[in-house]
Short mmCIF file of all heavy atoms in Angstrom, two decimals:
data_model
loop_
_atom_site.label_atom_id
_atom_site.label_comp_id
_atom_site.label_asym_id
_atom_site.label_seq_id
_atom_site.Cartn_x
_atom_site.Cartn_y
_atom_site.Cartn_z
N MET C 1 0.84 -1.20 0.00
CA MET C 1 0.00 0.00 0.00
C MET C 1 0.88 1.25 0.00
O MET C 1 1.78 1.37 0.81
CB MET C 1 -0.91 -0.01 1.23
CG MET C 1 -2.09 0.91 1.06
SD MET C 1 -3.33 0.60 2.34
CE MET C 1 -2.45 1.17 3.80
N GLU C 2 0.54 2.14 -0.91
CA GLU C 2 1.39 3.32 -1.07
C GLU C 2 1.10 4.35 0.01
O GLU C 2 1.98 5.09 0.44
CB GLU C 2 1.12 3.91 -2.45
CG GLU C 2 2.13 4.94 -2.89
CD GLU C 2 1.77 5.52 -4.24
OE1 GLU C 2 0.88 4.96 -4.94
OE2 GLU C 2 2.35 6.54 -4.59
N TYR C 3 -0.16 4.41 0.47
CA TYR C 3 -0.53 5.44 1.42
C TYR C 3 -0.77 4.87 2.80
O TYR C 3 -0.92 3.66 2.97
CB TYR C 3 -1.75 6.20 0.93
CG TYR C 3 -1.43 6.95 -0.31
CD1 TYR C 3 -1.70 6.40 -1.55
CD2 TYR C 3 -0.78 8.17 -0.26
CE1 TYR C 3 -1.34 7.05 -2.70
CE2 TYR C 3 -0.42 8.83 -1.39
CZ TYR C 3 -0.71 8.27 -2.63
OH TYR C 3 -0.34 8.92 -3.76
N ASN C 4 -0.84 5.74 3.74
CA ASN C 4 -0.96 5.36 5.15
C ASN C 4 -2.36 4.85 5.48
O ASN C 4 -2.57 4.31 6.55
CB ASN C 4 -0.61 6.58 5.99
CG ASN C 4 0.10 6.20 7.27
OD1 ASN C 4 0.01 5.05 7.69
ND2 ASN C 4 0.77 7.14 7.87
N SER C 5 -3.31 5.03 4.61
CA SER C 5 -4.66 4.63 4.94
C SER C 5 -5.44 4.22 3.71
O SER C 5 -5.20 4.71 2.60
CB SER C 5 -5.39 5.77 5.64
OG SER C 5 -6.09 6.52 4.70
N GLU C 6 -6.40 3.35 3.91
CA GLU C 6 -7.17 2.78 2.81
C GLU C 6 -8.10 3.81 2.17
O GLU C 6 -8.24 3.87 0.95
CB GLU C 6 -7.97 1.61 3.35
CG GLU C 6 -8.32 0.56 2.32
CD GLU C 6 -9.31 -0.43 2.91
OE1 GLU C 6 -9.32 -0.59 4.14
OE2 GLU C 6 -10.08 -1.01 2.14
N SER C 7 -8.76 4.63 3.00
CA SER C 7 -9.69 5.63 2.46
C SER C 7 -8.97 6.59 1.52
O SER C 7 -9.51 7.00 0.49
CB SER C 7 -10.32 6.46 3.58
OG SER C 7 -10.77 5.66 4.61
N LEU C 8 -7.74 6.93 1.90
CA LEU C 8 -6.96 7.87 1.10
C LEU C 8 -6.56 7.20 -0.22
O LEU C 8 -6.72 7.78 -1.30
CB LEU C 8 -5.71 8.28 1.90
CG LEU C 8 -4.87 9.37 1.29
CD1 LEU C 8 -5.68 10.64 1.13
CD2 LEU C 8 -3.67 9.67 2.19
N GLU C 9 -6.09 5.98 -0.12
CA GLU C 9 -5.71 5.18 -1.29
C GLU C 9 -6.88 5.10 -2.28
O GLU C 9 -6.71 5.31 -3.48
CB GLU C 9 -5.35 3.77 -0.79
CG GLU C 9 -4.80 2.85 -1.86
CD GLU C 9 -3.31 2.97 -2.01
OE1 GLU C 9 -2.63 3.28 -1.01
OE2 GLU C 9 -2.81 2.78 -3.13
N LYS C 10 -8.05 4.84 -1.76
CA LYS C 10 -9.24 4.69 -2.60
C LYS C 10 -9.57 6.00 -3.31
O LYS C 10 -9.93 6.01 -4.48
CB LYS C 10 -10.45 4.30 -1.74
CG LYS C 10 -10.68 2.81 -1.69
CD LYS C 10 -12.04 2.53 -1.07
CE LYS C 10 -12.19 1.07 -0.70
NZ LYS C 10 -13.27 0.85 0.26
N LEU C 11 -9.47 7.11 -2.58
CA LEU C 11 -9.80 8.40 -3.16
C LEU C 11 -8.81 8.76 -4.26
O LEU C 11 -9.18 9.25 -5.33
CB LEU C 11 -9.83 9.49 -2.06
CG LEU C 11 -10.33 10.85 -2.52
CD1 LEU C 11 -11.71 10.76 -3.15
CD2 LEU C 11 -10.37 11.82 -1.33
N VAL C 12 -7.52 8.49 -4.01
CA VAL C 12 -6.49 8.75 -5.02
C VAL C 12 -6.78 7.92 -6.27
O VAL C 12 -6.74 8.42 -7.39
CB VAL C 12 -5.07 8.46 -4.47
CG1 VAL C 12 -4.03 8.56 -5.58
CG2 VAL C 12 -4.72 9.42 -3.34
N ASP C 13 -7.13 6.64 -6.08
CA ASP C 13 -7.48 5.76 -7.21
C ASP C 13 -8.61 6.36 -8.03
O ASP C 13 -8.58 6.36 -9.26
CB ASP C 13 -7.93 4.39 -6.70
CG ASP C 13 -6.76 3.55 -6.21
OD1 ASP C 13 -5.61 3.93 -6.48
OD2 ASP C 13 -7.01 2.54 -5.53
N GLN C 14 -9.62 6.88 -7.33
CA GLN C 14 -10.78 7.45 -8.01
C GLN C 14 -10.38 8.66 -8.86
O GLN C 14 -10.76 8.76 -10.02
CB GLN C 14 -11.83 7.87 -6.98
CG GLN C 14 -12.57 6.71 -6.35
CD GLN C 14 -13.55 6.05 -7.32
OE1 GLN C 14 -13.95 6.65 -8.31
NE2 GLN C 14 -13.90 4.82 -7.04
N PHE C 15 -9.60 9.56 -8.28
CA PHE C 15 -9.21 10.77 -9.02
C PHE C 15 -8.28 10.42 -10.17
O PHE C 15 -8.31 11.06 -11.22
CB PHE C 15 -8.54 11.78 -8.08
CG PHE C 15 -9.51 12.52 -7.20
CD1 PHE C 15 -9.22 12.74 -5.86
CD2 PHE C 15 -10.70 13.01 -7.70
CE1 PHE C 15 -10.11 13.44 -5.04
CE2 PHE C 15 -11.60 13.70 -6.91
CZ PHE C 15 -11.29 13.91 -5.57
N ALA C 16 -7.44 9.39 -9.97
CA ALA C 16 -6.46 9.03 -11.00
C ALA C 16 -7.14 8.45 -12.24
O ALA C 16 -6.52 8.32 -13.29
CB ALA C 16 -5.44 8.05 -10.44
N ARG C 17 -8.41 8.08 -12.13
CA ARG C 17 -9.14 7.54 -13.28
C ARG C 17 -9.50 8.60 -14.31
O ARG C 17 -9.82 8.29 -15.44
CB ARG C 17 -10.45 6.90 -12.82
CG ARG C 17 -10.26 5.57 -12.17
CD ARG C 17 -11.64 4.93 -12.04
NE ARG C 17 -11.59 3.81 -11.15
CZ ARG C 17 -12.67 3.16 -10.72
NH1 ARG C 17 -13.87 3.57 -11.12
NH2 ARG C 17 -12.56 2.14 -9.93
N PHE C 18 -9.51 9.87 -13.89
CA PHE C 18 -9.86 10.94 -14.82
C PHE C 18 -8.78 11.08 -15.88
O PHE C 18 -7.59 10.99 -15.56
CB PHE C 18 -10.04 12.26 -14.07
CG PHE C 18 -11.33 12.36 -13.33
CD1 PHE C 18 -11.38 12.08 -11.98
CD2 PHE C 18 -12.50 12.72 -13.98
CE1 PHE C 18 -12.58 12.15 -11.28
CE2 PHE C 18 -13.69 12.80 -13.30
CZ PHE C 18 -13.74 12.52 -11.95
N PRO C 19 -9.17 11.30 -17.13
CA PRO C 19 -8.15 11.45 -18.17
C PRO C 19 -7.34 12.70 -17.91
O PRO C 19 -7.88 13.72 -17.50
CB PRO C 19 -8.99 11.59 -19.45
CG PRO C 19 -10.32 12.06 -19.00
CD PRO C 19 -10.53 11.53 -17.63
N GLY C 20 -6.04 12.60 -18.10
CA GLY C 20 -5.17 13.76 -17.91
C GLY C 20 -4.77 14.00 -16.47
O GLY C 20 -4.03 14.94 -16.19
N ILE C 21 -5.26 13.18 -15.56
CA ILE C 21 -4.84 13.33 -14.16
C ILE C 21 -4.01 12.12 -13.76
O ILE C 21 -4.50 10.99 -13.75
CB ILE C 21 -6.06 13.50 -13.24
CG1 ILE C 21 -6.72 14.83 -13.57
CG2 ILE C 21 -5.64 13.45 -11.77
CD1 ILE C 21 -7.87 15.18 -12.71
N GLY C 22 -2.75 12.37 -13.47
CA GLY C 22 -1.85 11.28 -13.11
C GLY C 22 -1.92 11.00 -11.62
O GLY C 22 -2.72 11.58 -10.89
N ARG C 23 -1.05 10.11 -11.19
CA ARG C 23 -1.01 9.69 -9.80
C ARG C 23 -0.70 10.88 -8.87
O ARG C 23 -1.29 11.02 -7.82
CB ARG C 23 0.08 8.62 -9.71
CG ARG C 23 -0.01 7.68 -8.58
CD ARG C 23 -1.01 6.56 -8.76
NE ARG C 23 -1.32 6.04 -7.44
CZ ARG C 23 -2.46 5.47 -7.09
NH1 ARG C 23 -3.41 5.30 -7.96
NH2 ARG C 23 -2.64 5.08 -5.87
N LYS C 24 0.22 11.73 -9.31
CA LYS C 24 0.63 12.87 -8.47
C LYS C 24 -0.49 13.88 -8.32
O LYS C 24 -0.75 14.38 -7.24
CB LYS C 24 1.87 13.56 -9.06
CG LYS C 24 3.14 12.89 -8.65
CD LYS C 24 4.29 13.88 -8.63
CE LYS C 24 5.55 13.19 -8.09
NZ LYS C 24 6.77 13.96 -8.35
N GLY C 25 -1.13 14.18 -9.44
CA GLY C 25 -2.24 15.13 -9.43
C GLY C 25 -3.37 14.60 -8.57
O GLY C 25 -3.97 15.34 -7.79
N ALA C 26 -3.64 13.30 -8.69
CA ALA C 26 -4.72 12.67 -7.93
C ALA C 26 -4.42 12.75 -6.43
O ALA C 26 -5.31 12.99 -5.61
CB ALA C 26 -4.90 11.23 -8.36
N THR C 27 -3.15 12.59 -6.07
CA THR C 27 -2.75 12.67 -4.67
C THR C 27 -2.98 14.08 -4.14
O THR C 27 -3.52 14.27 -3.05
CB THR C 27 -1.27 12.28 -4.52
OG1 THR C 27 -1.08 11.01 -5.12
CG2 THR C 27 -0.86 12.22 -3.06
N ARG C 28 -2.58 15.07 -4.94
CA ARG C 28 -2.79 16.47 -4.53
C ARG C 28 -4.27 16.74 -4.30
O ARG C 28 -4.65 17.41 -3.34
CB ARG C 28 -2.29 17.44 -5.61
CG ARG C 28 -0.80 17.62 -5.61
CD ARG C 28 -0.39 18.64 -6.65
NE ARG C 28 -0.81 20.00 -6.32
CZ ARG C 28 -0.68 21.04 -7.11
NH1 ARG C 28 -0.16 20.87 -8.31
NH2 ARG C 28 -1.09 22.23 -6.74
N MET C 29 -5.09 16.22 -5.22
CA MET C 29 -6.54 16.44 -5.11
C MET C 29 -7.09 15.78 -3.85
O MET C 29 -7.92 16.36 -3.15
CB MET C 29 -7.25 15.88 -6.34
CG MET C 29 -7.04 16.70 -7.58
SD MET C 29 -7.85 15.97 -9.02
CE MET C 29 -9.57 16.27 -8.61
N ALA C 30 -6.63 14.56 -3.57
CA ALA C 30 -7.13 13.83 -2.40
C ALA C 30 -6.79 14.59 -1.12
O ALA C 30 -7.65 14.76 -0.24
CB ALA C 30 -6.54 12.43 -2.36
N TYR C 31 -5.57 15.11 -1.03
CA TYR C 31 -5.21 15.87 0.17
C TYR C 31 -5.99 17.17 0.26
O TYR C 31 -6.30 17.66 1.33
CB TYR C 31 -3.70 16.14 0.21
CG TYR C 31 -2.93 14.94 0.74
CD1 TYR C 31 -2.02 14.27 -0.05
CD2 TYR C 31 -3.13 14.48 2.04
CE1 TYR C 31 -1.33 13.16 0.42
CE2 TYR C 31 -2.45 13.38 2.52
CZ TYR C 31 -1.54 12.72 1.71
OH TYR C 31 -0.87 11.64 2.18
N GLN C 32 -6.31 17.71 -0.92
CA GLN C 32 -7.13 18.92 -0.95
C GLN C 32 -8.51 18.62 -0.35
O GLN C 32 -9.05 19.44 0.40
CB GLN C 32 -7.26 19.39 -2.40
CG GLN C 32 -8.22 20.53 -2.63
CD GLN C 32 -7.64 21.87 -2.23
OE1 GLN C 32 -6.51 21.95 -1.77
NE2 GLN C 32 -8.42 22.93 -2.38
N VAL C 33 -9.04 17.45 -0.65
CA VAL C 33 -10.34 17.06 -0.08
C VAL C 33 -10.23 17.01 1.45
O VAL C 33 -11.11 17.48 2.16
CB VAL C 33 -10.81 15.69 -0.64
CG1 VAL C 33 -12.00 15.15 0.15
CG2 VAL C 33 -11.17 15.81 -2.10
N LEU C 34 -9.12 16.47 1.95
CA LEU C 34 -8.93 16.38 3.40
C LEU C 34 -8.84 17.76 4.04
O LEU C 34 -9.17 17.95 5.20
CB LEU C 34 -7.69 15.56 3.72
CG LEU C 34 -7.79 14.09 3.32
CD1 LEU C 34 -6.49 13.37 3.61
CD2 LEU C 34 -8.94 13.39 4.01
N ASN C 35 -8.35 18.73 3.26
CA ASN C 35 -8.24 20.10 3.78
C ASN C 35 -9.54 20.88 3.70
O ASN C 35 -9.65 21.98 4.23
CB ASN C 35 -7.15 20.87 3.02
CG ASN C 35 -5.76 20.46 3.46
OD1 ASN C 35 -5.57 20.01 4.60
ND2 ASN C 35 -4.79 20.59 2.58
N MET C 36 -10.53 20.31 2.97
CA MET C 36 -11.82 20.99 2.84
C MET C 36 -12.59 20.92 4.16
O MET C 36 -12.34 20.03 4.98
CB MET C 36 -12.69 20.30 1.79
CG MET C 36 -12.29 20.52 0.37
SD MET C 36 -13.39 19.53 -0.70
CE MET C 36 -12.65 19.89 -2.29
N SER C 37 -13.56 21.80 4.32
CA SER C 37 -14.48 21.65 5.44
C SER C 37 -15.42 20.49 5.12
O SER C 37 -15.54 20.09 3.96
CB SER C 37 -15.29 22.93 5.64
OG SER C 37 -16.21 23.07 4.58
N ASP C 38 -16.09 19.95 6.14
CA ASP C 38 -17.04 18.86 5.91
C ASP C 38 -18.10 19.28 4.89
O ASP C 38 -18.47 18.52 4.01
CB ASP C 38 -17.72 18.45 7.22
CG ASP C 38 -16.78 17.63 8.08
OD1 ASP C 38 -15.73 17.20 7.57
OD2 ASP C 38 -17.09 17.43 9.26
N ALA C 39 -18.57 20.53 5.03
CA ALA C 39 -19.63 21.02 4.15
C ALA C 39 -19.15 21.06 2.70
O ALA C 39 -19.88 20.69 1.78
CB ALA C 39 -20.07 22.40 4.60
N GLN C 40 -17.90 21.50 2.49
CA GLN C 40 -17.37 21.59 1.13
C GLN C 40 -17.25 20.21 0.49
O GLN C 40 -17.58 20.03 -0.68
CB GLN C 40 -15.99 22.25 1.15
CG GLN C 40 -16.04 23.76 1.32
CD GLN C 40 -14.65 24.36 1.49
OE1 GLN C 40 -13.79 23.75 2.12
NE2 GLN C 40 -14.44 25.54 0.95
N ALA C 41 -16.76 19.23 1.27
CA ALA C 41 -16.61 17.87 0.74
C ALA C 41 -17.98 17.29 0.40
O ALA C 41 -18.16 16.63 -0.63
CB ALA C 41 -15.90 16.98 1.76
N GLN C 42 -18.94 17.58 1.25
CA GLN C 42 -20.31 17.13 1.04
C GLN C 42 -20.87 17.71 -0.26
O GLN C 42 -21.48 17.02 -1.06
CB GLN C 42 -21.14 17.58 2.24
CG GLN C 42 -22.57 17.09 2.26
CD GLN C 42 -22.63 15.57 2.32
OE1 GLN C 42 -21.88 14.94 3.04
NE2 GLN C 42 -23.52 14.98 1.53
N GLU C 43 -20.59 18.99 -0.46
CA GLU C 43 -21.06 19.71 -1.65
C GLU C 43 -20.47 19.10 -2.92
O GLU C 43 -21.18 18.92 -3.92
CB GLU C 43 -20.56 21.16 -1.54
CG GLU C 43 -21.59 22.22 -1.80
CD GLU C 43 -20.95 23.59 -1.65
OE1 GLU C 43 -20.38 23.88 -0.56
OE2 GLU C 43 -20.97 24.36 -2.63
N LEU C 44 -19.17 18.76 -2.87
CA LEU C 44 -18.50 18.16 -4.01
C LEU C 44 -19.13 16.80 -4.33
O LEU C 44 -19.48 16.52 -5.49
CB LEU C 44 -17.01 17.99 -3.70
CG LEU C 44 -16.17 17.17 -4.68
CD1 LEU C 44 -16.18 17.77 -6.07
CD2 LEU C 44 -14.73 17.05 -4.19
N ALA C 45 -19.30 15.96 -3.31
CA ALA C 45 -19.88 14.63 -3.52
C ALA C 45 -21.30 14.76 -4.08
O ALA C 45 -21.70 14.02 -4.98
CB ALA C 45 -19.89 13.85 -2.20
N GLN C 46 -22.04 15.74 -3.57
CA GLN C 46 -23.42 15.94 -4.01
C GLN C 46 -23.47 16.40 -5.47
O GLN C 46 -24.32 15.95 -6.24
CB GLN C 46 -24.10 16.97 -3.09
CG GLN C 46 -25.62 16.96 -3.19
CD GLN C 46 -26.21 15.59 -2.87
OE1 GLN C 46 -25.84 14.97 -1.88
NE2 GLN C 46 -27.09 15.09 -3.72
N ALA C 47 -22.54 17.30 -5.83
CA ALA C 47 -22.50 17.81 -7.21
C ALA C 47 -22.28 16.66 -8.19
O ALA C 47 -22.85 16.65 -9.29
CB ALA C 47 -21.42 18.87 -7.36
N ILE C 48 -21.45 15.70 -7.80
CA ILE C 48 -21.17 14.54 -8.67
C ILE C 48 -22.44 13.71 -8.83
O ILE C 48 -22.84 13.35 -9.94
CB ILE C 48 -20.04 13.68 -8.06
CG1 ILE C 48 -18.72 14.44 -8.17
CG2 ILE C 48 -19.95 12.32 -8.75
CD1 ILE C 48 -17.59 13.85 -7.35
N LYS C 49 -23.10 13.44 -7.71
CA LYS C 49 -24.32 12.64 -7.76
C LYS C 49 -25.41 13.35 -8.54
O LYS C 49 -26.12 12.75 -9.35
CB LYS C 49 -24.82 12.36 -6.34
CG LYS C 49 -23.99 11.32 -5.62
CD LYS C 49 -24.80 10.76 -4.47
CE LYS C 49 -23.94 10.47 -3.28
NZ LYS C 49 -24.74 10.18 -2.09
N ASP C 50 -25.57 14.66 -8.29
CA ASP C 50 -26.61 15.44 -8.97
C ASP C 50 -26.40 15.42 -10.47
O ASP C 50 -27.35 15.21 -11.23
CB ASP C 50 -26.59 16.89 -8.49
CG ASP C 50 -27.30 17.05 -7.16
OD1 ASP C 50 -27.85 16.04 -6.68
OD2 ASP C 50 -27.30 18.16 -6.62
N ALA C 51 -25.16 15.66 -10.90
CA ALA C 51 -24.88 15.71 -12.33
C ALA C 51 -25.27 14.38 -12.96
O ALA C 51 -25.85 14.33 -14.05
CB ALA C 51 -23.40 16.00 -12.57
N LYS C 52 -24.95 13.30 -12.25
CA LYS C 52 -25.22 11.97 -12.78
C LYS C 52 -26.72 11.65 -12.80
O LYS C 52 -27.21 11.03 -13.74
CB LYS C 52 -24.46 10.98 -11.89
CG LYS C 52 -24.08 9.67 -12.52
CD LYS C 52 -23.49 9.77 -13.88
CE LYS C 52 -23.83 8.50 -14.64
NZ LYS C 52 -23.46 8.56 -16.03
N THR C 53 -27.43 12.07 -11.78
CA THR C 53 -28.85 11.69 -11.71
C THR C 53 -29.74 12.67 -12.48
O THR C 53 -30.72 12.27 -13.10
CB THR C 53 -29.36 11.61 -10.26
OG1 THR C 53 -29.02 12.83 -9.60
CG2 THR C 53 -28.70 10.46 -9.51
N LYS C 54 -29.38 13.95 -12.45
CA LYS C 54 -30.28 14.94 -13.06
C LYS C 54 -30.08 15.12 -14.55
O LYS C 54 -30.99 15.50 -15.27
CB LYS C 54 -30.10 16.31 -12.37
CG LYS C 54 -30.59 16.33 -10.94
CD LYS C 54 -30.56 17.75 -10.39
CE LYS C 54 -30.92 17.80 -8.93
NZ LYS C 54 -30.59 19.11 -8.33
#
Side-chain angles (χ1 to χ4, degrees):
Chain C
M1 199 167 68
E2 193 182 348
Y3 295 95
N4 214 340
S5 93
E6 206 190 334
S7 313
L8 187 60
E9 186 88 30
K10 265 191 193 162
L11 187 56
V12 173
D13 286 347
Q14 286 288 340
F15 284 138
R17 284 192 194 172
F18 283 97
I21 293 183
R23 203 79 200 152
K24 276 208 175 165
T27 306
R28 282 183 68 187
M29 287 178 71
Y31 279 116
Q32 173 78 0
V33 169
L34 294 177
N35 284 333
M36 286 177 184
S37 71
D38 284 348
Q40 283 174 323
Q42 185 62 42
E43 228 180 303
L44 170 60
Q46 197 57 47
I48 290 167
K49 285 200 216 169
D50 280 356
K52 206 45 210 172
T53 52
K54 291 188 186 167

